[in-house]
Every structure is written in structure tokens, then in C-alpha cells.
Amino acid sequence: MTTQPDYHISPMRVLTMHEHPFFYVACPPTPMAALDEELERLMPLLEAALAEAHVGDGAPVITRYYPTDTPDTYLMEVGKPVSPGVQPAGEAQVKTLPPCRCAAVLYWGSLEHIGEAYGVLMQAIKDANLEQTGEGREWYYHF
């Protein structure tokens, strides 16, 4: 019997994410090393705001981060795509995310190997002669 690894990283694909309303909470400018702490702080705020707005579950959680004008400092937004017309609630805001042409890999597994998935993505971007913009979007699906 052969054993299957407990994670999977797909080959890179280039795709376009379509424009959509985004219900989210955000942190102030934060060093990359502290974004995990901010994520832990933001998730309960997002969950409370989603409940207050009566936004159902099923959509993926999107973590979006991008650099600020201050070196090594990022803004992070954590939220969910929602239907048009959903209003802000609690500490959450709503805005429309523009279309985004991006390189992506699908990673399935625990967070233990997510660094490896980023390594595969970065190498594939380099091999394809693509240029990074500085924005990252992670979509988290829970099964």
C-alpha cells in the first residue's frame, strides 16, 4: 500500500478574478511579522459583523494584503465576497474589489506546508517571466 502525502500543491495557473463586493475588516499598517497576530484579532470581528449583517456562510474567507508607503509594512483586509447591496455592519466595511489577473496555485492541506506552496508559486512566476505587483490574495475554503 502506498501512502498519499497529507497535502497537495497544484501547478501554477494564470487566471482573472472577477470584480465582486467584499465585506471585510482591516488592520492598520503592520509589519509582515505581526500579520498573524492581526489575523487572529480580526477573525472574531469579521464573524460578529457577518452575523450582524445576516451574511450566510459558504463563501471563502479572503485575506488580502499589500504594501504601504512605509517599508516592510502592510495593510491586511480579511473578509468574504458578498451579494451586491450588502451593507457594512459591526466593524466591517464593504467595497468592490476590482478584477485581478493573477498567478495562483491551489494548496490543500494544513498550514504546515504553506511555505512550500509559496515557494512553488514564486518559482513558477519567475519561470514564466511574470512580474509581481505586491498584492496577495489568499482564498480559504474549509471542508
Side-chain angles (χ1 to χ4, degrees):
M1 173 189 277
T2 61
T3 59
Q4 298 278 342
D6 61 352
Y7 69 100
H8 174 76
I9 304 168
S10 75
M12 182 197 73
R13 291 185 53 198
V14 177
L15 51 90
T16 299
M17 297 172 148
H18 297 286
E19 176 180 286
H20 60 85
F22 184 53
F23 185 94
Y24 70 100
V25 292
C27 71
T30 304
M32 178 64 82
L35 287 178
D36 280 341
E37 293 170 22
E38 282 298 312
L39 181 61
E40 286 185 35
R41 183 183 70 79
L42 292 174
M43 286 305 295
L45 297 176
L46 176 62
E47 291 168 5
L50 288 164
E52 184 178 327
H54 305 290
V55 173
D57 198 24
V61 171
I62 300 171
T63 302
R64 180 176 181 244
Y65 47 93
Y66 44 94
T68 67
D69 293 336
T70 305
D72 300 319
T73 303
Y74 294 81
L75 293 176
M76 181 171 59
E77 302 165 346
V78 181
K80 290 191 173 199
V82 293
S83 300
V86 170
Q87 296 298 307
E91 301 214 15
Q93 304 169 52
V94 179
K95 68 179 173 184
T96 299
L97 287 184
C100 178
R101 184 96 173 129
C102 61
V105 295
L106 178 63
Y107 171 73
W108 177 87
S110 72
L111 293 178
E112 179 181 0
H113 301 283
I114 199 164
E116 186 179 336
Y118 271 104
V120 167
L121 178 60
M122 295 303 121
Q123 186 62 52
I125 287 170
K126 181 179 176 184
D127 293 347
N129 294 316
L130 298 174
E131 186 175 320
Q132 295 183 19
T133 64
E135 178 180 342
R137 293 186 192 181
E138 297 174 359
W139 291 57
Y140 288 87
Y141 293 90
H142 299 274
F143 300 97

